[in-house]
Structures are given as C-alpha cells and as structure tokens.
C-alpha cells in the first residue's frame, strides 16, 4: 500500500484515503462548442500511458476531499512530487531533476 | 519414546498428548508435531501429491514440502496443509495425514506411482488436448478430483482475526543471530524497532547448534540474553510466531502473527491471528538460508531428511532421527550434524561426500570418531518402502557398496533466502564461485544481512548486522563456528536418466522431468517451471529452485544466470485468508445502509431489496398476499386514494453560494437562471461525452441555494463529479457543495388524497395549487419541525415529498401514516414505485439508460437548454455519432397479448424468421404488469425508435416469439392532468 502525501493536508496518508482521477493537465477549453471533433477526441478520449513518469490527478476523497496533482513513476510506483491543483505542470527539466 | 535428555533447548517439562490419524501419542511441551512424531518413531507423515508416495518430514521448519497435515479443533476449525514441522503441539491437538485413501500406510492412489511413466512433465498439456468434447465430462472432473492439496473446510471460519498498522524506524525480519544483533544495535541508537521471527523462540540456528560459543555462552544462552535485553527496551517490540510474509511498496512489510494456533484452549476473545502492516524507515531482512537436499533416486523416502533438520530435531527437541544414520553431503555442515548425532550415541556407518576434495581437518575429525567417509561418491539407490532401510553407494571405479540405515541425512549446501529481497524488487546477483544467488541492491530502503546475504562466519554476520543500522557491534569472542562452505546444485549420479530423484517434493517433480522439459524445447526457467510445475507448489520452490535451475542450465549448456531465476512473490509461506480479511467480514465488509424509517417498515412486514448499499422496503405484503398481489394493491391504492413511500435514500446535495446558479448551469443540461426561488425542476446531468450521468429534481430555495436530488446509487459519484469541476475547472466560483443525503428523511405522499393527508400537519404554506403548484418547493413546518416540502410526483398523481431532519423522520412518518391509514391509503415499496413511474414513462438512470444514452435518445430533448453557451456535455452532444440517424431511442412497448410481460434485457428484432445471428434492433429496459391499465407495459431502447411508432416488432425468447407494438413511453395520463389537481 502506498503512502501518499496530500499537499493540502501536508501529511503522508495511506492510499486507501485517495482515489486516482486520471491524467493531469488536461485543460477544458472555455469555448468547447467551437472545438473540432479531432480536438475534442484528443481532449476527452486520448490519454497518455507512459512507462515512467506520469502526471496524474488524485483526490484525497476520504480526507480533505481536495483534488491535487502528482508526478508518479509507473515502474517503481514512486511519487516523485505532489502539488496543488492549479499549480503549473513541472517543466521537463524539473521532471528530469526529480528522476535523479 | 526416544529422547536425549541433555539436548532439547526448546523443550519444557510437561508431557502433552495429541492424536495423529486417530492414534494417541505423547510429546513434550515445546515440540512441533514433526519432532513429537519422530520421537515416537513415526516418520511417515503424508502422501505426495501426484504419485502418492510415502513421505516424511524433510525439513524442520517453514520450508517443509512433505509433511503436510490437516489440523482440526472441531468441524469448522479445520486447517489443511499445515506443515508438521511448524505446528506446535498442544494438549488434545488432532492431526490427520492428507492425500491418502484408505490409510496412510496403504494408499490406493499409490497406483499413480506405477503409472508414473505416463505422468511425466507436460502430461496434462499432452493428454487433455482433444477431443474438445471430452473436457466437460471426462477431463475437467478428473483434473478437479485430482487437483488440490488437502481439503478446504466447508463451514464458515468461526475464529476472528485482528489487524494492526504500525510504524517504526527499523523492522527486522528474522530473529536469528543477525536479526537479534541488528535489532540490538538499532535499539541502542534510540530507534523504534520491531523484530519478528516465525518460530516460537528467537535465536534461529543458534538453537540448533550446541558447539558454538559466543562469549563463553552457548548459542541458545546468548540468544536468550539478547532477547531479555531487547524485551526490556520500551522501544523494541518482539513478535515471535510471526512471519514476515510480504514486502510491499514504500517499505511496508506484512507480518502475520499466529496467536492461538499453539494453544490448547484459546481464550475466546483472542484473535487467531493478527496481521501487521508495518511501515518502516528501514527494513532489515535476516531471513537466513535454506538447506538444499541432494537429488538422487529415492531421496523422498521417510527417514531421508536435511542434515540441518536432523540437527534441529536433536538439539532443539532432543530427538535423534534414527539409530543408524547415513550421511550424503556436498557441504561441511552435514559433518557437524553427523558428529552431533554420533555424540548422543547414534551410529554413523558412512558419510558419502559428493565432493572429491574435503577439508582435511573435518576428515580428521571423522577419522578420529571412526566414521568412514567416501569422497566423490553418490547414492545410486535406496531400499525400504515406508521408511528408508538401506543405501547403495557408488564411487570411483563403479564399485557399489551397501549399508543398512534407518535414516539418511543430506546437505547440498545452503540457499540464501531471497524471497523478501526479491519482493522488494531487488534483482538477485549470481556468485559464480559459491554457486549461489545473492540479494542485489534493492530500490527500497532495505538491507539483507546474515545467511540470506550469503554471509558465513558469525563474526562477519555481527559486523554486518551492526553496519546495516549504522551501529557498532559489541566485541564478541566466537568459538567453534561451523562453516557452511561447500555445496552443489543439480542432479547426482545418473538420476537424470534413471529412478525418481525428486527436485520438487511437493509437486513430485523429478530430475528426469526437468530433463524432459528441456528436451521438449523449454529453454527459459519460466517455461521449465510451468511445464514441470517445479517450484510452483505452496512452498514456492524453497528447496527445489536452485536444483531445477542447475539441471536446466547444465543440459542447455548455459550459465545459470542466463537461464534465469524466477521472481518470488508474496506470501513467503502460506498465509490464511482470515488474516487478510481481518474484521472486514459480514456487515463490516458489506455495510447495509438503513433509513430512519427502516425499522418501521420492518415492523410492518416489509420485504426489503438491496439498492446500492441501501436496504429499501420493496413491498408490504398483507397476510397471504403474493408479491404480485401486494404490488398490484399498492399501485391501485396510490392511483385511487394515496400511498406513502420512504424516499430517504435519494441522494441529496446542497449547492450553495453566490455562484450556485452559474455552477448549476454548467453541471446540468437545463437552464437555471430563470427558475424562481420556490420552484423545482427536473435536471439532467451529462458527462463531457454527452451521455446521461444522473438525473433528479432540483429545488431552488433561494437565489444562492439549491436542494439537488440524485439517484440513490449515484449520490457519491455525482458529488465527486461536481467537486471535480468546482475545484479544478471553476475554482473561481463561490460555491459550496455538501452531501445531505443522510441529513434528510424523505417521505413521499402520492395520490389523489395526498393533500388531505398532510394538510393538518403542515404549517407555513398553503397547499393549494395557487401557492404550491406542481414542481414547487417550500420551507415550512411539518409536525412542528422545520421541513422542506416539495410538490413533485414520481407517480403521475398529485404528490408531495416531505423532507425533515433525519432524526424526526420516523415520528413524522408515523404522523403521516396516522393520517393516511384511516383514509384508506397504503404504504408502498420500491416495486410499486417502479411500476407507477414506468406507467408514466419516467426513466431510471442506470436501468433505462446505460452510459451510452443521450438526453435526446431518452426523449428528454426538452431538458436541454438551447441558449446556454456551455454545459458539461454540450460539446459531446454534437459529436457525429451522437447526432446521426438510427440511434437507439427510448420508446414504449405494448405486447400484442396484453397478459404477456416481457423480460427486461430481452432483445428485439424486426423479423423473427431471419437466420441466427439476428439483427438486434435493441432491448427491453423496463417491463412490468400494470394492474391499473390491465396490460403489460415496457420501455425499450430501439434503433430509430421515435420513427417506429405503431410498428410491430418481435422479441424472440427461448420457447416463443412475442409480438410487440412500439408506442410512446407515457402509458398513463398522457396529458399529465393529475399532477396538477
């Protein structure tokens, strides 16, 4: 069982308190009606499935209830970083640094 | 009974009586079942899995593959596959041998042994291939009968199991010399420490070794002193009889503590086991090493066992394993065992050493004792049926010599136990010189020390243990430490060609089987393993893996690491399901939610049905009524008079804040701006893909406050969905979401006399249609308590839904019932509710929709606001597939024979005479008998359904084809006059 650090509670809590909420940084456009079918497909249906660093959303559903983002390594299952919803996606350089 | 009184570090003084296969024996407090049986001269303890060969204990600990017995206290407490070498005896213990019929000494299944040429590796794959028809009646029943070790108990387990979480700086798995020293050094530095050992006593190998001296103390004395010191430290938790069975992510280890399995009459409040989930800063693995057996024909006869096991039986339990004991070895430690046995008076006629070079000092010792050593020899044959009687030894120039023996001890060296290290995802590293795999570096914070790290000398073990926790070992004077040097892996003699030389005892895999697998093209150990089942038994190949690997590598002429070692998985040893389940069984596993009115319903004869986690009143049969009659009566009464219904399970969410209306505009397809406070509206929620996600009536209480209802099962996911958008897409909106499902009790009062029923109970609102029209909500007082009163209808009749604080639910319900009953109204359940709503064509999300139905498909286009710039699902609804013709649409169905009630889920076709597979147009989603309309009614999703009104379609069933007519889905009061009464 994983221990996950909630960036709102600022505490390590057991995995049982959390729910995964899919890929992070998928932006819902403000003018969705004007999206092309291809763009909508990419936004709603197509998801990354990386071997390695994955940026994903979690919800501390049985805790504070907040959604947040995490950088998790899909091979080692290690959480490399967690950050609050709305904070920017880590740059590629930052991600490379986390992997060291 | 044979005991050596001077030996037996683990024995107490009390005599203990137990039974094995119905016969009573005596053992001594501290004995395992195996040691007590051997003390009674019983070596035959079980039959093997495939060939039903007689078997005895090979080992003295957890790695035991053979001596599996059924231990039972009563008819429910039966544990199969208990290793006799692990089970401690207690007064009254009852054990039975397994896998034999009619008796252990005479087993009919042993005929398999004679058929063995047909039962070689790959037998199943080759035999059960064709004809395909034979599967159902011949092969599968055969395999099922033959498969499985032991018999699972058929009754529910009456014991209970506990569960604990723990955190500590250092957890030490294994309480032998390495583990104890690591625990001491860690504790000395002020760390919190948990140290566990699978045995009853700490000390590991120290308890089996009588020669060793540490600071002048025997191993057992030194261990006892360490245990005393550690136990006195408040920072240290010592867990004996506790197996570290699994290593999980982030340094969590699973420990299973056996609490009552060794107790004669356990206190009933004690759990049988306690599972620990320990999260440690550092994991010290001190699992030790497991001795390998020698692979030679007949190496499974009772009386043949590991040299270390014989030493353990002698030195821990005072039991010599025989009187005339042969030795077959490739490792120095077997000599120490032989000398120990010699010392207590056993005869050692010969030591056969597979090696040609043996340490001169050891040879000298043997010579001094008058024990003959044959170097470079091997055992080509053994004699005896239920117990070994003699050995035939070949050496040098093919000379054969025979010895009579009543036991044979063997050692092919020691395999570092890599189980937990491998589970931590460390890759094993091959040590070519010593021929063993060592633990590689782990990605987790764990260190292997001692035997499991391949460390031999005790002084090195202590230094390593101290270093592993960043401490310093005390200086110890160590004398007479026996080296584990030497060892070999693979088959000996010509056992690859001849005889049954077992590699894997538990799955009856011989050296020949491995050779056959390689010949038949299995070149990776993973394939060899699966083809032969080597290492796939419950002991996970603790003894067999290295031999199997070495044989395959040798035949393939490849280095061992290239053939590969299989990955170890949790659990290290078999772990009871009860331990994993813990307290989460029954209602704690599957909790039932009950409404405040539940007890009233139960007292008044309701039948219940489960709806998500809720128990809902299904119908209220009167004396002698069938379900059908009860539902008919309930429906009729609601239509003619009135009925009251417990709707408390409806999901409820309070949406409040200055931007509440704007938020509702995003989340629901409907428009909310124009809705006036005091009015209610049926809302549809879509996902972004445009499919219906949930629905429910929403009351607007004020400009900034909505009372949202959801489906009973949908409440949690709807709230999650709303929170997701609020927190991550619209965080600027000033809106607060609160689940209020359990705060409100909801009582629906439906029917022409509904107003009359509640009128005297309501204060603060006039119930006439002018002030409280259909689809309105009012905050008022009912029975003197604050209430939210909706005028809504899920039945098509004049209807109200009373919401009061849950604590008042039952008393308000009773007050309403006291009014309703004298007027001839009824209480109705969910089944009648379903019929009534279906008569009106109201959908149930999840029944009439399935996640691929849009509001348009469901005939709810009117609920989609056209002018809103955005809502969740708006873009999705424009997708090409969602707007094209021929989508399945929700329509009504009437059967041509009005009495025929369709089956929900039944498929619908246009032409029933077409060949199979037919073109399916859709399927029935809801179907009921309507007592009111005197014909059956159904709803169905049908391709292009809206354009098929009046069309005849067909529902082919197993024994008939039912003709139906497509209709609108509103069967009752199509103009909707009644709700406005």
């Amino acid at each position: 069982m994983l221990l996950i650090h909630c960036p709102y509670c600022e505490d390590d809590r057991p995995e049982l308190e959390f729910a995964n909420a899919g890929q992070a940084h998928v932006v819902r456009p403000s003018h969705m009606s004007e999206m092309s079918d291809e763009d909508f497909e990419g936004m709603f249906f197509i998801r990354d499935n990386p071997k390695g660093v994955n940026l994903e959303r979690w919800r501390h559903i049985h805790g504070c209830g907040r959604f947040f983002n995490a950088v998790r390594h899909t091979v080692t299952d290690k959480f490399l970083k967690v950050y609050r919803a709305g904070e920017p996606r880590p740059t590629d350089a930052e991600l490379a640094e986390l992997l060291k | 009974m044979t005991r050596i009184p001077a030996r037996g570090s683990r024995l107490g003084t009390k005599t203990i009586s137990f039974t094995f296969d119905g016969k009573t024996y005596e053992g001594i407090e501290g004995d395992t079942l195996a040691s007590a049986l051997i003390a009674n001269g019983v070596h035959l303890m079980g039959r093997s899995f495939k060939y039903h060969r007689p078997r005895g204990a090979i080992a003295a600990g957890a790695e035991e593959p053979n001596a599996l017995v059924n231990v039972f206290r009563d008819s429910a407490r039966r544990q199969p596959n208990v290793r006799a070498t692990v089970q401690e005896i207690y007064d009254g213990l009852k054990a039975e041998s397994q896998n034999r019929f009619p008796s252990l000494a005479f087993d009919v299944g042993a005929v398999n042994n004679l058929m063995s040429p047909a039962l070689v590796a790959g037998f199943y794959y080759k035999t059960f291939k064709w004809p395909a028809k034979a599967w159902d009646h011949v092969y599968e029943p055969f395999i099922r009968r033959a498969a499985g070790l032991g018999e699972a108990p058929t009754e529910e387990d009456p014991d209970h199991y506990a569960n604990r979480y723990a955190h500590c700086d250092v957890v030490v798995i294994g309480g032998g010399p390495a583990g104890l020293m690591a625990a001491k050094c860690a504790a000395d530095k002020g760390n919190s420490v948990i140290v566990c050992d699978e045995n009853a006593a700490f000390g590991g190998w120290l308890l089996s070794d009588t020669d060793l001296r540490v600071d002048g103390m025997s191993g057992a004395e030194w261990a006892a002193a360490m245990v005393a010191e550690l136990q006195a430290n408040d920072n240290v938790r010592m867990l004996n009889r506790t197996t570290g069975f699994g290593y999980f992510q982030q340094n969590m280890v699973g420990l299973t503590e056996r609490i009552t399995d060794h107790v004669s009459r356990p206190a009933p409040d004690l759990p049988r086991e306690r599972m620990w989930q320990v999260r440690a800063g550092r994991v010290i693995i001190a699992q030790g090493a497991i001795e390998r057996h020698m692979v030679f024909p007949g190496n499974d006869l009772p009386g043949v066992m590991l040299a270390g096991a014989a030493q353990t039986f002698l030195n821990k339990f005072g039991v010599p394993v025989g009187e005339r004991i042969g030795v077959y070895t490739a490792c120095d430690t077997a000599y120490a065992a032989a000398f120990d046995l010699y010392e207590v008076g056993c005869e050692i006629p010969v030591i056969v050493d597979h090696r040609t070079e043996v340490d001169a000092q050891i040879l000298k010792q043997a010579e001094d004792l008058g024990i003959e050593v044959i170097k470079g020899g091997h055992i080509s044959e053994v004699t005896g049926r239920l117990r070994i009687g003699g050995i035939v030894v070949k050496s040098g120039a093919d000379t054969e010599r025979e010895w009579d023996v009543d036991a044979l001890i063997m050692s092919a060296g020691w395999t570092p136990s890599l189980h937990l290290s491998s589970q931590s995802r460390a890759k094993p590293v091959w040590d070519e010189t010593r021929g063993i795999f060592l633990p590689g570096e782990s990605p987790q914070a764990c260190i292997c020390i001692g035997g499991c790290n391949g460390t031999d000398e005790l002084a090195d073990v202590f230094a390593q243990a101290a270093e592993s926790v960043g401490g310093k070992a005390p200086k110890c004077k160590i004398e007479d430490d026996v080296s584990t040097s030497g060892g070999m892996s693979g088959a000996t003699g010509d056992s690859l060609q001849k005889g049954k030389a077992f590699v894997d005892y538990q799955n009856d895999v011989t050296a020949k089987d491995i050779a056959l697998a390689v010949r038949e093209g299995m070149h990776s150990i993973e394939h060899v393993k699966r083809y032969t089942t080597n290492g796939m038994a419950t002991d996970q190949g603790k003894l067999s893996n290295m031999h199997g690997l070495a044989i395959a590598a040798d035949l393939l002429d490849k280095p061992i690491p290239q053939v590969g070692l299989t990955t170890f998985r949790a659990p290290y040893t078999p772990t009871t399901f009860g331990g994993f389940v813990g307290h989460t069984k029954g209602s704690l596993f599957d909790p039932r939610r009950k409404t405040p009115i539940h007890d009233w319903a139960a007292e008044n004869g309701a039948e219940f049905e489960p709806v998500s986690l809720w128990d809902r009143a299904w119908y209220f049969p009167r004396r002698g009524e069938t379900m059908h009659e009860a539902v008919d009566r309930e429906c009729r009464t609601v239509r003619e008079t009135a009925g009251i219904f417990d709707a408390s399970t409806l999901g409820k969410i309070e949406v409040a804040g200055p931007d509440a209306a704007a938020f509702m505009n995003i989340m629901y397809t409907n428009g909310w701006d124009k809705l006036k406070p005091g009015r209610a509206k049926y809302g549809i929620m879509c996902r972004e893909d445009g499919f219906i996600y949930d629905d429910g009536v929403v009351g607007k209480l004020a400009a900034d406050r909505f009372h949202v209802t959801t489906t009973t099962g949908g409440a949690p996911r709807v709230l999650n969905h709303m929170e997701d958008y609020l927190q991550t897409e619209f965080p600027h909106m000033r809106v607060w979401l609160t689940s209020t499902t359990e705060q409100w009790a909801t009582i629906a009062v439906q029917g022409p006399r509904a107003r009359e029923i509640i009128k005297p109970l309501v204060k603060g609102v006039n119930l006439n249609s002018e002030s409280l029209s259909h689809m309105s909500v009012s905050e008022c007082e009912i029975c003197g308590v604050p209430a939210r009163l909706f005028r809504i209808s899920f039945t098509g009749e004049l209807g109200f839904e009373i919401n009061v604080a849950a604590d008042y639910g039952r008393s308000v319900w009773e007050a309403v019932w006291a009014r309703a009953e004298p007027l001839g109204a009824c209480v109705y359940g969910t089944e009648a509710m379903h019929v009534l709503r279906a008569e009106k064509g109201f959908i149930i999300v999840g029944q009439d929709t399935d996640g691929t139905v849009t509001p348009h498909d469901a005939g709810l286009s009117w609920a989609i606001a056209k002018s809103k710039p955005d809502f969740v699902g708006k873009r999705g609804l424009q997708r090409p597939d969602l707007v094209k013709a021929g989508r399945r649409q929700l329509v009504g169905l009437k059967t041509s024979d009005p009495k025929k009630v369709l089956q929900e889920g039944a498929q619908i076709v246009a032409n029933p005479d077409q060949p199979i597979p037919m073109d399916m147009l859709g399927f029935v989603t809801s179907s009921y008998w309507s007592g009111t309309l005197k014909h059956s009614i159904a709803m169905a999703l049908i391709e292009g359904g809206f354009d098929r009104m009046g069309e005849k379609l067909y529902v082919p069933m197993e024994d008939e084809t039912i003709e139906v007519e497509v209709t609108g889905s509103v069967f009752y009061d199509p103009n909707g006059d009644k709700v406005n009464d």
Side-chain angles (χ1 to χ4, degrees):
Chain A
M1 188 166 56
L2 299 169
L3 274 186
I4 300 174
H5 187 84
C6 173
Y8 292 94
C9 297
E10 297 182 340
D11 195 11
D12 291 335
R13 307 296 304 168
E15 186 184 343
L16 290 174
E17 293 182 10
F18 297 84
N20 185 285
Q23 189 173 326
H25 301 292
V26 177
V27 180
R28 185 182 191 273
S30 49
H31 300 289
M32 279 192 68
S33 313
E34 291 150 33
M35 272 179 113
S36 69
D37 284 337
E38 288 70 30
D39 288 348
F40 181 79
E41 180 194 27
M43 193 276 298
F44 187 73
F45 292 107
I46 307 299
R47 291 293 179 265
D48 297 337
N49 184 20
K51 179 179 179 180
V53 166
N54 193 35
L55 283 79
E56 58 194 14
R57 305 191 315 142
W58 285 80
R59 185 178 182 208
H60 194 186
I61 188 160
H62 301 299
C64 64
R66 303 301 295 266
F67 284 84
F68 60 90
N69 294 324
V71 182
R72 184 175 61 95
H73 197 283
T74 58
V75 177
T76 63
D77 246 355
K78 269 193 184 148
F79 279 77
L80 303 173
K81 180 186 168 85
V82 291
Y83 51 102
R84 296 183 176 199
E87 288 179 20
R89 178 189 188 282
T91 62
D92 289 347
E94 282 167 335
L95 290 177
E97 189 64 29
L98 289 174
L99 275 174
K100 277 182 191 161
Chain B
M1 210 162 87
T2 331
R3 293 277 184 179
I4 308 297
R7 306 280 172 130
S9 63
R10 275 299 299 149
L11 288 185
T13 50
K14 236 177 81 190
T15 302
I16 284 176
S17 157
F18 66 97
T19 66
F20 177 62
D21 278 346
K23 194 175 163 195
T24 304
Y25 295 94
E26 281 187 349
I28 302 175
E29 185 183 8
D31 259 330
T32 63
L33 181 56
S35 69
L37 283 173
I38 295 172
N40 282 282
V42 178
H43 274 266
L44 175 61
M45 297 182 198
R47 288 276 176 168
S48 73
F49 176 49
K50 195 157 116 185
Y51 301 133
H52 291 250
R53 288 170 67 98
R55 293 280 169 84
I58 287 280
E63 70 273 31
E64 173 59 35
N66 277 347
L68 304 182
V69 297
N70 184 4
V71 173
F72 58 102
R73 291 183 192 270
D74 51 42
S75 62
R77 292 176 172 86
R78 301 181 72 90
Q79 173 97 346
N81 297 327
V82 173
R83 287 147 295 160
T85 54
V86 169
Q87 176 67 51
E88 295 167 62
I89 58 165
Y90 51 78
D91 237 339
L93 173 119
K94 285 178 278 195
E96 271 175 357
S97 57
Q98 299 182 162
N99 216 28
R100 85 290 187 267
F101 177 83
S103 77
L104 189 53
F106 176 74
D107 174 17
V108 173
V111 68
N112 281 6
N113 194 33
L114 303 175
M115 286 167 55
S116 60
L119 293 172
V120 292
F123 164 69
Y124 282 60
Y125 300 112
K126 290 167 188 163
T127 310
F128 301 122
K129 254 162 71 175
W130 28 246
K133 274 190 185 149
W135 255 107
D136 289 350
H137 302 293
V138 184
Y139 297 153
E140 196 178 322
F142 171 81
I143 292 172
R144 282 192 188 282
R145 211 169 33 247
L149 282 166
E151 262 177 65
T154 50
E155 289 175 44
E156 194 179 325
D157 186 349
D159 286 319
H160 74 279
Y161 297 81
N163 192 307
R164 275 192 72 171
Y165 294 94
H167 294 260
C168 61
D169 298 320
V170 177
V171 65
V172 183
I173 313 291
L180 289 175
M181 181 57 81
K184 175 195 155 56
C185 294
D188 283 351
K189 290 182 67 192
N191 292 300
S192 57
V193 179
I194 293 177
V195 51
C196 71
D197 193 277
E198 63 188 353
N199 294 294
F202 287 91
W205 182 250
L206 296 175
L207 306 180
S208 301
D209 187 335
T210 46
D211 296 324
L212 177 76
R213 288 292 174 274
V214 183
D215 290 337
M217 289 181 276
S218 74
E221 287 162 351
W222 182 85
M226 286 290 275
V227 169
E229 180 187 335
L230 289 167
Q231 268 167 347
N233 188 329
D234 288 342
N235 255 344
V236 180
R237 185 189 288 278
M238 308 280 289
L239 297 170
N240 62 340
R241 298 189 180 92
T242 302
T243 303
F245 67 85
Y247 198 127
F248 306 95
Q249 289 116 330
Q250 285 171 301
N251 263 22
M252 194 185 89
V253 290
L255 317 177
T256 179
E257 181 187 5
R258 291 169 294 280
I259 295 168
T260 62
D261 275 0
H262 64 291
V263 181
S264 184
R265 270 172 290 278
D269 55 340
L270 276 182
R272 180 173 168 226
E273 288 184 0
R274 181 178 292 122
M275 180 160 294
W276 292 78
Q277 286 164 272
V278 180
R279 188 83 63 171
R282 184 175 295 198
V283 178
I284 305 298
I285 303 174
Q287 281 193 287
I290 293 173
E291 197 171 23
R292 291 188 299 282
H293 58 291
M294 295 295 287
V295 179
F296 60 94
N299 62 349
D300 64 327
L301 259 187
V304 179
M305 68 171 63
L306 298 169
Q311 217 172 349
T312 296
F313 285 126
L314 175 64
N315 292 331
K316 262 173 104 168
F317 306 107
V319 181
V321 297
E323 290 172 1
R324 196 176 149 80
I325 303 167
V327 182
Y328 186 23
T329 186
C331 172
D332 293 353
T333 52
Y335 287 82
F339 300 156
D340 269 11
L341 288 160
Y342 180 89
E343 233 174 82
V344 298
C346 299
E347 206 183 324
I348 309 290
V350 64
I351 296 177
V352 182
D353 199 315
H354 189 261
R355 299 170 293 182
T356 46
E357 303 279 327
V358 183
D359 182 76
Q361 207 183 335
I362 292 176
L363 288 175
K364 173 82 173 41
Q365 258 179 296
E367 198 188 331
D368 289 349
L369 299 175
I371 301 173
E372 181 178 356
V373 176
I374 295 180
K375 288 189 286 183
H378 67 266
I379 295 181
S380 60
E381 215 181 314
V382 299
T383 56
R385 195 174 75 86
L386 298 177
R387 170 121 180 224
I388 189 166
I391 53 175
V392 179
V393 176
K394 267 191 186 176
S395 67
D398 268 357
T399 50
E400 270 191 10
R401 286 173 66 194
E402 288 186 42
W403 280 272
D404 289 341
V405 295
D406 64 355
L408 177 73
I409 64 173
M410 58 185 168
S411 178
W414 297 79
T415 309
S417 191
L418 301 185
H419 291 253
L420 288 179
S421 164
S422 175
Q423 286 181 33
S424 83
R425 297 190 183 187
K427 290 255 182 298
V429 179
W430 177 244
D431 180 336
E432 181 64 42
T433 27
R434 298 164 71 194
I436 49 175
F437 279 105
L438 294 173
E441 201 183 326
S442 173
Q444 304 215 42
C446 80
I447 300 173
C448 294
I449 58 169
C452 69
N453 193 33
T455 313
D456 186 11
E457 305 282 332
L458 190 55
D460 297 342
V461 170
F462 283 167
Q464 199 172 74
E467 196 188 329
S468 71
V469 293
K472 208 167 150 10
K475 279 211 164 38
C476 301
K477 185 168 170 238
I478 295 165
E479 297 160 279
D480 293 324
D481 183 14
V482 175
S483 165
T484 59
S485 69
M488 58 91 61
S489 294
T492 65
D494 41 16
S495 56
L496 284 179
Q497 292 86 37
K498 278 208 316 216
K500 280 201 185 61
F502 286 91
V503 173
D504 188 311
Y505 290 103
Q506 203 169 84
N507 270 352
D508 272 351
V509 181
T510 64
K512 277 196 301 191
D513 288 326
I514 310 263
L516 181 69
V518 171
R519 272 206 309 280
E520 296 193 343
M522 310 299 144
H523 290 176
S524 134
I525 197 64
E526 296 289 351
H527 292 151
V528 172
K529 171 179 166 172
R530 280 159 184 80
Y531 200 62
T532 61
T533 70
N534 190 52
M536 287 172 69
T538 65
D539 64 341
Q540 276 198 60
K542 290 186 176 68
L543 272 62
S544 64
N545 279 342
M546 280 308 298
H547 284 316
L549 186 53
I551 293 170
D554 194 36
L555 293 170
L556 291 165
D557 201 17
K558 275 189 194 168
I560 281 181
Q562 271 186 36
V563 182
L565 183 65
T566 57
T567 309
F568 295 101
R569 313 272 179 207
Y572 170 64
T573 49
T575 305
T576 56
F577 283 115
F580 288 102
V581 169
H583 293 297
T584 45
K585 58 180 185 178
S587 64
L588 290 176
F589 171 72
D590 185 19
R592 303 310 305 165
R593 299 174 76 182
K594 291 177 177 152
T595 75
I597 297 150
H598 179 95
D599 290 347
W600 186 95
E603 288 157 22
N604 285 272
E607 294 289 333
F608 291 90
E609 67 164 338
V611 180
S612 67
L613 292 178
W614 293 96
D615 277 343
R616 297 198 72 178
W618 194 10
Y619 58 99
F620 290 80
R622 290 188 178 159
R623 188 181 295 274
E625 267 185 345
T626 63
M627 174 177 176
H628 181 80
E629 289 161 350
V631 171
D632 257 14
R633 173 183 49 76
E634 289 171 16
C635 291
R636 191 175 60 243
T637 312
V638 172
R639 296 263 182 253
E640 287 173 1
T641 314
I644 71 172
F645 173 71
D646 179 8
S648 304
T649 66
L650 269 186
K652 302 166 208 82
I653 298 167
E654 192 92 341
V655 178
D659 297 317
F663 182 68
M664 291 296 290
N665 272 333
I666 288 286
M667 298 312 301
Y668 282 82
T669 63
N670 322 59
W672 301 92
D673 292 329
K674 288 180 195 148
L675 191 70
K676 294 202 166 53
R679 297 292 295 165
K681 195 172 199 170
Y682 170 72
I684 297 178
M685 171 178 272
C686 284
R687 299 197 317 171
E688 210 68 83
D689 55 14
F691 296 129
I692 295 176
Y693 192 55
D694 202 75
D695 70 348
V697 169
V698 177
K700 190 171 188 177
L701 300 164
D704 60 354
R705 186 171 292 267
F706 292 84
H707 178 114
V708 174
T709 67
T710 74
T711 55
T712 291
R717 61 184 155 85
V718 169
L719 183 62
N720 186 63
H721 181 76
M722 287 183 169
E723 280 287 356
D724 193 349
Y725 278 90
L726 180 59
Q727 289 184 32
T728 67
E729 297 295 347
F730 307 103
H732 55 277
M733 283 190 175
R734 291 162 303 164
V735 178
W736 291 269
L737 305 171
T738 310
S739 165
T740 54
T741 303
E742 296 197 334
Q743 274 60 47
W744 296 108
T746 306
I747 302 160
V749 186
Q750 304 272 310
R753 301 183 78 172
R755 184 182 287 117
E756 190 183 343
I757 289 170
I758 65 167
K759 198 168 180 188
L761 309 175
V762 180
K763 239 194 243 167
V765 60
N766 190 325
L767 297 183
N768 66 27
S769 281
E770 285 71 54
S771 51
L772 194 69
S773 60
H774 182 54
M775 299 307 280
S776 298
V777 57
S778 166
E779 293 185 274
C780 59
E781 255 184 30
I782 295 179
C783 302
V785 301
R788 288 178 182 174
L789 178 63
F790 282 77
R791 172 144 177 217
I792 44 174
S793 171
F794 200 43
T795 59
E797 303 297 334
L798 165 67
F800 298 91
E801 282 183 12
I802 299 166
N803 290 274
V804 290
D807 287 350
Y808 297 120
R810 178 157 179 174
S811 23
V812 173
W813 170 273
E814 284 174 355
V816 174
W817 179 235
R819 288 278 310 148
E821 195 181 15
L823 295 175
C826 71
V827 48
Y828 65 101
T830 50
E831 190 63 22
M833 177 272 282
H834 272 278
V835 177
L836 295 166
R837 66 91 199 173
E839 287 171 347
K840 281 294 291 176
F842 294 141
I843 65 163
I844 301 267
V845 169
Q847 175 165 346
D848 301 299
T849 71
D850 63 1
T852 65
V853 177
T854 68
H856 298 299
D857 300 337
L860 300 169
S861 302
W862 56 268
I864 299 176
K866 311 270 176 310
S867 55
K868 283 201 297 190
D870 190 16
F871 61 84
V872 174
K874 185 179 170 77
R875 176 62 188 82
L877 282 168
Q878 299 161 14
R879 290 189 291 144
D881 273 354
L882 268 58
V883 294
K884 79 174 181 199
R887 286 190 60 78
R888 285 183 176 169
Q889 291 163 331
L890 193 69
V891 294
L893 292 182
K894 264 189 194 169
T895 47
S896 299
D897 172 359
K899 291 230 156 52
K900 195 64 85 188
V901 179
L902 295 170
Q903 273 189 27
E904 288 174 356
Q907 299 285 326
I908 298 158
V909 300
N911 169 16
D913 301 322
Q914 61 186 305
I916 293 170
M918 300 188 187
D919 284 335
M920 303 297 182
L921 295 178
F923 56 93
V924 178
T925 61
S926 288
S927 174
Y928 307 94
W929 169 254
S930 167
T932 305
L933 302 167
K934 304 280 183 272
H935 62 75
S936 73
I937 54 168
M939 288 197 264
L941 281 164
I942 293 180
E943 271 173 35
F946 297 156
D947 296 328
R948 291 181 189 267
M949 293 299 148
E951 215 173 283
K952 294 266 194 261
L953 296 175
Y954 299 89
V955 180
M957 301 300 291
E958 209 169 0
D959 47 356
E960 62 178 335
T961 295
I962 303 168
E963 189 185 71
V964 297
E965 183 193 330
V966 179
T967 68
S969 59
V970 186
F971 298 95
Y972 176 78
D973 186 24
N975 296 330
D977 299 330
K978 291 184 180 279
V979 293
N980 294 315
D981 272 359

